[in-house]
Amino acid sequence: MSDFTPRYLADYSESNFSISTVELTFELNEHKTRVINRMQISKKQPSDAPLILDGEHLKLLSVSLNKALLSDDDYQVNDMSLTINVADAEFLLEIVTELNPIENTALEGLFKSGDAYCTQCEAEGFRRISYYLDRPDVMATFTTKVIADKAKFPYLLSNGNKVAAGDLANGQHFVQWHDPFPKPSYLFALVAGDFDVLTDSFRTCSARNVALEIFVDKGNLDKAHHAMASLKHSMAWDEETFGLEYDLDIYMIVAVDFFNMGAMENKGLNVFNSKFVLADEKSATDTDYFNVEAVIAHEYFHNWTGNRVTCRDWFQLSLKEGLTVFRDQQFSADMHSAVVTRIQNVRVLRSMQFAEDAGPMAHPIRPEKVLEMNNFYTLTVYEKGAEVIRMIHTLLGAEKFRKGIDLYFERFDGMAVTCDDFINAMADASAVDLTKFKGWYEQAGTPQLNVEESFDADSNTYQISITQSNGENTALHIPIGIELISVESKKSAAHLLQLTEQKQTWSFQGFARKPVLALLTGFTAPVKSQLSQSDQDLETIMNHADDEFCQWDAGQTLLSTYIKRVMAAPELTLPSNLIDAVRNILHSDASAAFKAEQLTLPSFSELADSIEEVDPIALLDAIDKVKLGLATELEALFLQHYQQNIQQEFANDGKAIGQRALKNICLSYLTTLAPQQSLLAEQYQNATNMTDSLAALNSAAKGNAESFTIMMADFEQKWNSTALVMDKWFSIQASVCDETIYANLAKLIKHPLFTLNNPNRARSLIGAFTMNNPRYFHCSSGRGYQFLIEQIKLLNIINPQVASRMITPLIQFSSLDQKRQKMIKTLLVDLSKQENLSKDLKEKLDAALAG
Ligand code: TRP
Ligand code: ZN
C-alpha cells in the first residue's frame, strides 16, 4: 500500500544530519545484489530526534553503528524508511541491503538493461539502492567499489576517478571509484557490462586533457561518432559562451536501451537512452542527429547547472532544468539556423506545454505541492522554465546575463540552492529589478495578452495598449519585443516593451499612416496573444518584418485562420490571397529549412489549443481540406520544388538537411493527390538515408497509400535487428489513418518484438498512436481511448513512470467536446478503482477527476 500524502514546498526544513562520506560496495547479482553502505554522519545541532533514512523496495540485511551490529529492536523499518536513535554527535553507520535488479521493471534504482546493470537515481531512486537521506540538499563524497564476474562484466563504472582495480576469486573482479566532488544521491551512478568504447580527449581552456569515453552495445561503435563530436562541441561552447570548464579528468557516457527518460547527468558518468547517442546516416534521421547533439549538450551543461550548483529541494527542479534547457537551446541555435531552432522550441510550447498549463496538472515552474516527484519532470518545468530564463536574458541583455551567471557560480558553487537564489544573483549582478518577475515562478497557466491599437492621423501617433490576464490579479513582468513596419517604406523599427502592470499603453510618433505591428519578436514571452490583424497586415509581416520568427508566425496565423474558417464552413474554397501567400513562400529566396517551417501547417494540437471544446474530427477534416486545397492549386510548383531538392549524394550539412526538409514537406502535400502517390514508392526505393525513407513511409501511412504494406514489409525485413529503427516502424504502423488500425494495434501488441517493458518500444507504438493518429485516437466510438486505458493498466504495474506520462492526452479531456469528455471520464473513474494504483497515476487521476 502506497503512501498518498503529498509534500509541500512551504514545509521545507533542513535535515539535522549531514553525511560527509559514503563508501558503497556492490556485489552484483541478478536476483541478489548485496549493497554495503558505510556512511560518516554527524548532527548539525545537538538533538534527540532520530535519524530517519529513506528506503523503498529494499531487503534490509543488517545495520551496524560504529562497527557494532544492531539488533532488530534498535531500529524500526517500514516500506518507506529506517529509523534509528543515535546518541552520538558523529557516527559511522553501515547498512547492508539486498536488491533484485532483474525484477526491477520500474527502471529506478539498480536495474538491468539487456545484459548490463545500470542505475537511475533522479529523483528519488537512490532509496531503492540503500537507506539514505535521499534529498538533494544532503551532499557527500562517494567512493564506490563494484564487484562482478569479469568475463560478463569487463567494465565496472561509477562516478569520478578510477582509484583501484583487481582480480578476485571465482572469476570475479572489482573496480573502485572515487568522486572528489560532494554530491547529492540523485547524481550517483553505476554501470556494469561489456561494451564497445569510443575514446577521445578534450583539451580544456586551461590546457588540461579530459578523457572522453562513450560506451555502446557491441557492434555499435560506428554509431557513436556523432555523439562524440557533439560532446566536444558542447565542451568548447560552454567555455566560450559561459567560461565554464569541465572539472574531472574523465567524462563517460553509457548508452542503454531500457531507460525511462532521455538521459541522466550523473557526475562524470552520464547514462543515456541509446536513442540519444546512436546515429548513422543509414539508420538515423536528420531530427535524430539534431536531438542527439541537443541531449548530449544538455547533460554536459548540467555539470555546472545542476551538479556544481544543485537544487535545495525538488520543488526547485526548474533551477537546473529550465536553465539547462535554455543553455542547450542557445547551443543548438548557435550550431544551426537560429530561427529554425527557435520555431521548433515554440512549436513544442504551443502544442504541448500550453495544453499542460490548461489541464488538470497545471503547475507553476516551481510547483508547491507534489505527491510523486516523477510527475513533475514536465514541459512546464523544462520548456516553460527555459522560457522564463530566456525572458531574463531578454530583460538583462546578453552581457548582464553573463554577469549574473558569473555571480550565481561565485555565490553558490558547491551548494544546493533555490530559484530565488538564482533570481537574486541575476538581479544583483545587473541592477535590474526582478521583483515582479518572480511571479513567473508562482503562477500556473499561460498568460494572455490582449492588444489594442489606435492611430491618430492628426498627431501622427500610433498607440498600443496591452492588457495581461493570467487567472490571478498580480501582474507579471513580461518582455514584449515588437516591430512597427511602415506601410509606405516597409521599413521596420524594433522596440522592447516591458509590461509590468495589468494594462499599459505606449505611444510612437512620426507615422503618416498606421504601421503594421509584428508582436513578440523571437517569441520573447511564453504567452498567448489576442490581436486581430487583416490578411494584408499578416502578409506585410511575412514579407517585411526583420524578425524571421515573426515572418513565420504571421504565416502560421494566416493558415490557422483559414483552417478554423473551413471548420465552421466546410464548403469554403480557399481564397486566392492564401494560395498566393503559400506560392510566395515557395518562390522566396529564404533558406530551404525556413521555407519548410513556413509550409508546415499548424499542428492538430496547436490548433486544438485555441478552440474551446473542440470536435477533433471536424478540426482534422478542416486541416486535411486546407492541405488538399493548397496541393491542388499549387501541384506543379510543389512538384518542381520536390524535384529540385532531390540530392544525388547524401550530405549532412545544414543546406542538405534543409533541402531534405523542404523536399519532404512538398512530398506530403503532393501525395494528398492520388495521382502523385507513386512518388512514395519511388522515394522509398531511391532513398540513401533514413530521413527520406521515413518521410515516404509517413506520408504513405497518413494517405493510406497502396504501396504502404509492401514498403513496411521490406523495411521490417531490413531493420528487424536494429531496435531504434524498429521503434520507428512501430510508430508508423500506429499512425496508419484507417479503420483497420484497431485490429492492427491488437496484432502489433502481440508482435514478437513488442514489449511494454522497454519504454522506447512502448512509446513507439502507444505514444505514437495517441499523438500522431488523432483521427483514430479520438474516434467517436471511444475505441482509441479504450486501447490506451488497457495499456495503461498493464503499465501501471510494470513501469508507473511511463504509464503516468502516457495518460496525458486522456487527463486533458476538458479541451474536447462534451461527448468525448464523458466517455473519457467514465474510463478514468474506472481506472482510478484499479488495485495497486501507483502514486504517479493516483496523483493525475485525482487532479483530473476533481472538477
Ligand atoms: N535530469 C534528467 C535530465 O533532464 C532527467 C531524468 C533522466 C529523469 N532520467 C530521469 C528524471 C528519471 C526523473 C526520472 O536530463
Ligand atoms: Zn536536464
Side-chain angles (χ1 to χ4, degrees):
M1 187 53 210
S2 303
D3 178 24
F4 291 142
T5 322
R7 284 170 289 168
Y8 295 87
L9 168 60
D11 292 345
Y12 173 82
S13 73
E14 221 181 280
S15 172
N16 191 40
F17 294 88
S18 59
I19 306 178
S20 56
T21 61
V22 183
E23 273 178 61
L24 295 166
T25 304
F26 287 79
E27 296 164 17
L28 292 176
N29 178 286
E30 289 194 337
H31 289 281
K32 289 173 181 234
T33 287
R34 247 163 56 100
V35 182
I36 304 160
N37 169 14
R38 255 177 236 124
M39 295 170 279
Q40 191 64 52
I41 305 181
S42 54
K43 289 184 184 172
K44 291 181 189 162
Q45 310 284 336
S47 154
D48 295 334
L51 173 66
I52 306 173
L53 300 175
D54 307 294
E56 288 173 12
H57 304 268
L58 292 171
K59 185 167 165 191
L60 178 60
L61 298 185
S62 69
V63 184
S64 324
L65 182 61
N66 297 323
K67 303 200 167 159
L69 197 63
L70 298 186
S71 76
D72 300 9
D73 35 55
D74 295 330
Y75 55 82
Q76 295 91 51
V77 218
N78 62 30
D79 58 9
M80 296 169 56
S81 59
L82 169 67
T83 303
I84 314 173
N85 280 293
V86 189
D88 315 69
E90 278 183 40
F91 54 95
L92 178 71
L93 191 65
E94 181 185 286
I95 296 172
V96 184
T97 51
E98 187 183 288
L99 318 178
N100 190 347
I102 203 152
E103 302 284 325
N104 182 354
T105 57
L107 313 184
E108 279 186 89
L110 178 73
F111 61 93
K112 286 204 80 180
S113 171
D115 292 330
Y117 288 93
C118 66
T119 56
Q120 172 55 42
C121 293
E122 187 175 7
E124 298 178 328
F126 192 81
R127 63 188 63 187
R128 291 169 184 241
I129 292 173
S130 187
Y131 290 95
Y132 199 74
L133 291 173
D134 191 14
R135 43 187 290 169
D137 60 348
V138 172
M139 295 163 82
T141 320
F142 283 67
T143 306
T144 305
K145 185 173 178 179
V146 190
I147 302 169
D149 185 273
K150 188 171 183 176
K152 280 194 193 147
F153 307 99
Y155 293 100
L156 305 176
L157 314 175
S158 190
N159 317 84
N161 304 309
K162 193 188 272 197
V163 289
D167 289 340
L168 301 168
N170 304 320
Q172 304 267 109
H173 72 144
F174 79 94
V175 177
Q176 190 166 20
W177 295 81
H178 176 74
D179 181 357
F181 291 92
K183 65 168 174 287
S185 50
Y186 84 88
L187 290 172
F188 169 80
L190 173 156
V191 173
D194 192 4
F195 302 101
D196 277 346
V197 194
L198 183 64
T199 59
D200 205 328
S201 73
F202 180 81
R203 197 174 164 80
T204 71
C205 50
S206 68
R208 284 189 307 108
N209 268 325
V210 179
L212 309 178
E213 301 183 343
I214 301 184
F215 297 80
V216 296
D217 279 354
K218 293 231 146 198
N220 280 335
L221 207 58
D222 287 346
K223 292 184 181 173
H225 295 286
H226 177 59
M228 184 63 87
S230 302
L231 175 60
K232 291 161 84 177
H233 290 149
S234 308
M235 295 176 87
W237 187 90
D238 219 13
E239 291 184 350
E240 279 158 30
T241 315
F242 287 107
L244 297 173
E245 182 184 353
Y246 186 62
D247 52 11
L248 283 164
D249 297 331
I250 180 168
Y251 192 87
M252 296 176 281
I253 291 175
V254 184
V256 299
D257 287 337
F258 284 65
F259 207 65
N260 283 345
M261 304 270 285
M264 181 63 213
E265 70 265 25
N266 318 300
K267 184 82 190 185
L269 177 57
N270 289 182
V271 177
F272 269 62
N273 186 325
S274 54
K275 180 185 158 125
F276 296 114
V277 173
L278 304 178
D280 66 11
E281 63 193 57
K282 289 276 176 288
S283 69
T285 62
D286 295 335
T287 307
D288 292 330
Y289 270 85
F290 182 94
N291 290 339
V292 165
E293 183 189 68
V295 178
I296 293 269
H298 179 95
E299 305 311 330
Y300 175 71
F301 297 156
H302 267 315
N303 190 56
W304 277 95
T305 50
N307 301 3
R308 289 289 288 250
V309 180
T310 195
C311 305
R312 185 193 72 173
D313 56 76
W314 289 120
F315 299 100
Q316 318 294 331
L317 179 62
S318 205
L319 173 81
K320 73 176 177 81
E321 295 304 345
L323 179 54
T324 304
V325 172
F326 172 73
R327 277 152 53 68
D328 83 56
Q329 290 180 351
Q330 295 293 84
F331 168 75
S332 295
D334 283 352
M335 300 292 288
H336 304 278
S337 154
V339 65
V340 170
T341 304
R342 186 65 188 135
I343 287 168
Q344 284 162 1
N345 302 155
V346 174
R347 272 195 219 283
V348 171
L349 225 77
R350 285 180 174 163
S351 62
M352 301 197 290
Q353 195 279 324
F354 285 8
E356 188 168 271
D357 247 348
M361 282 296 287
H363 52 277
I365 63 168
R366 181 182 57 211
E368 273 147 25
K369 175 188 172 191
V370 165
L371 176 61
E372 171 51 62
M373 189 54 214
N374 286 331
N375 279 340
F376 290 85
Y377 288 77
T378 57
L379 290 152
T380 299
V381 166
Y382 277 64
E383 306 298 322
K384 187 180 180 179
E387 293 299 320
V388 169
I389 303 295
R390 183 180 296 274
M391 287 191 284
I392 299 175
H393 188 268
T394 303
L395 290 169
L396 270 58
E399 209 174 298
K400 286 182 179 167
F401 184 85
R402 171 63 198 273
K403 275 193 178 169
I405 291 285
D406 290 349
L407 183 61
Y408 173 64
F409 288 122
E410 199 181 302
R411 281 186 185 170
F412 303 119
D413 188 14
M415 294 166 68
V417 305
T418 65
C419 297
D420 272 325
D421 291 328
F422 177 80
I423 300 288
N424 293 339
M426 297 312 275
D428 292 349
S430 64
V432 172
D433 181 1
L434 295 174
T435 319
K436 277 196 177 165
F437 189 83
K438 287 185 178 175
W440 283 103
Y441 285 82
E442 287 154 18
Q443 289 189 23
T446 309
Q448 165 110 19
L449 303 182
N450 283 297
V451 182
E452 284 160 46
E453 301 172 276
S454 67
F455 182 69
D456 180 32
D458 296 335
S459 60
N460 288 356
T461 304
Y462 167 78
Q463 277 205 336
I464 173 172
S465 296
I466 307 182
T467 313
Q468 59 170 304
S469 50
N470 51 58
E472 284 173 52
N473 282 329
T474 44
L476 293 168
H477 186 169
I478 310 178
I480 304 170
I482 64 164
E483 266 182 43
L484 298 175
I485 308 168
S486 151
V487 286
E488 295 96 10
S489 68
K490 310 292 187 207
K491 284 233 168 70
S492 181
H495 305 273
L496 181 67
L497 311 180
Q498 298 198 28
L499 183 64
T500 52
E501 308 299 325
Q502 216 69 48
K503 181 174 182 177
Q504 268 166 269
T505 302
W506 292 265
S507 299
F508 300 90
Q509 250 83 41
F511 289 99
R513 287 167 60 194
K514 178 178 169 291
V516 175
L517 168 67
L519 187 67
L520 288 171
T521 47
F523 205 62
T524 47
V527 299
K528 297 184 194 182
S529 47
Q530 214 169 53
L531 163 67
S532 48
Q533 291 185 298
S534 66
D535 287 5
Q536 209 189 348
D537 284 356
L538 291 170
E539 284 152 21
T540 301
I541 301 169
M542 288 175 77
N543 296 320
H544 301 290
D546 288 335
D547 184 75
E548 289 178 294
F549 173 83
C550 280
Q551 293 174 11
W552 169 81
D553 204 24
Q556 295 287 298
T557 306
L558 192 64
L559 289 164
S560 54
T561 307
Y562 278 99
I563 292 169
K564 287 188 233 173
R565 273 187 212 160
V566 169
M567 201 175 153
E571 67 291 344
L572 196 90
T573 53
L574 294 185
S576 59
N577 70 300
L578 184 73
I579 296 159
D580 289 344
V582 175
R583 184 185 292 113
N584 289 340
I585 291 172
L586 282 161
H587 280 310
S588 85
D589 51 16
S591 72
F594 186 65
K595 286 187 196 180
E597 294 300 337
Q598 287 184 297
L599 293 169
T600 303
L601 294 181
S603 70
F604 166 78
S605 41
E606 232 173 294
L607 287 157
D609 185 68
S610 64
I611 304 167
E612 272 187 32
E613 302 201 351
V614 66
D615 172 353
I617 305 302
L619 174 56
L620 288 160
D621 286 343
I623 297 173
D624 287 354
K625 218 163 164 217
V626 169
K627 188 152 190 181
L628 180 64
L630 290 170
T632 309
E633 293 291 336
L634 300 169
E635 181 177 357
L637 197 59
F638 277 122
L639 192 60
Q640 186 199 329
H641 280 80
Y642 176 76
Q643 283 159 347
Q644 276 170 2
N645 287 287
I646 294 176
Q647 304 143 328
Q648 298 313 328
E649 295 277 307
F650 178 81
N652 216 352
D653 53 275
K655 184 163 174 250
I657 293 168
Q659 285 190 319
R660 275 194 288 280
L662 180 55
K663 178 188 63 182
N664 287 325
I665 186 83
C666 290
L667 179 73
S668 83
Y669 277 95
L670 286 166
T671 53
T672 60
L673 307 167
Q676 295 288 4
Q677 288 203 338
S678 60
L679 290 174
L680 296 169
E682 201 180 296
Q683 172 158 328
Y684 179 78
Q685 270 147 25
N686 297 334
T688 59
N689 60 84
M690 188 52 78
T691 304
D692 285 346
S693 310
L694 272 199
L697 294 174
N698 268 317
S699 285
K702 294 239 156 53
N704 219 346
E706 243 176 87
S707 52
F708 179 75
T709 319
I710 298 171
M711 293 192 287
M712 286 296 274
D714 175 77
F715 191 88
E716 182 182 9
Q717 210 212 341
K718 211 157 154 188
W719 293 108
N720 62 49
S721 56
T722 309
L724 292 173
V725 182
M726 282 311 285
D727 287 339
K728 300 178 193 297
W729 184 86
F730 277 102
S731 291
I732 296 165
Q733 292 288 11
S735 22
V736 171
C737 214
D738 188 82
E739 262 317 307
T740 55
I741 187 70
Y742 306 109
N744 282 331
L745 286 172
K747 260 200 247 162
L748 289 160
I749 290 287
K750 301 235 156 66
H751 190 287
L753 291 179
F754 186 79
T755 167
L756 286 175
N757 288 53
N758 182 307
N760 285 359
R761 192 52 52 83
R763 283 187 285 255
S764 75
L765 186 67
I766 301 157
F769 173 65
T770 64
M771 306 301 288
N772 305 344
N773 202 346
R775 188 178 287 277
Y776 289 93
F777 176 59
H778 291 294
C779 174
S780 61
S781 67
R783 290 177 78 181
Y785 303 148
Q786 279 159 16
F787 169 75
L788 177 55
I789 284 280
E790 280 161 31
Q791 302 311 312
I792 287 186
K793 283 183 183 171
L794 299 171
L795 275 168
N796 171 56
I797 305 292
I798 299 171
N799 188 327
Q801 216 178 318
V802 171
S804 182
R805 279 185 180 272
M806 218 104 85
I807 204 171
T808 304
L810 288 180
I811 64 166
Q812 293 174 352
F813 58 74
S814 71
S815 62
L816 299 166
D817 58 82
Q818 289 296 330
K819 196 181 139 225
R820 289 183 172 83
Q821 288 201 24
K822 233 178 110 193
M823 280 197 298
I824 295 175
K825 266 191 256 181
T826 309
L827 290 168
L828 294 183
V829 168
D830 173 58
L831 178 62
S832 70
K833 294 178 185 147
Q834 276 285 111
E835 255 181 83
N836 296 318
L837 197 64
S838 64
K839 273 207 251 185
D840 314 55
L841 282 179
K842 166 84 177 154
E843 182 169 39
K844 291 196 175 174
L845 290 172
D846 283 356
L849 297 169

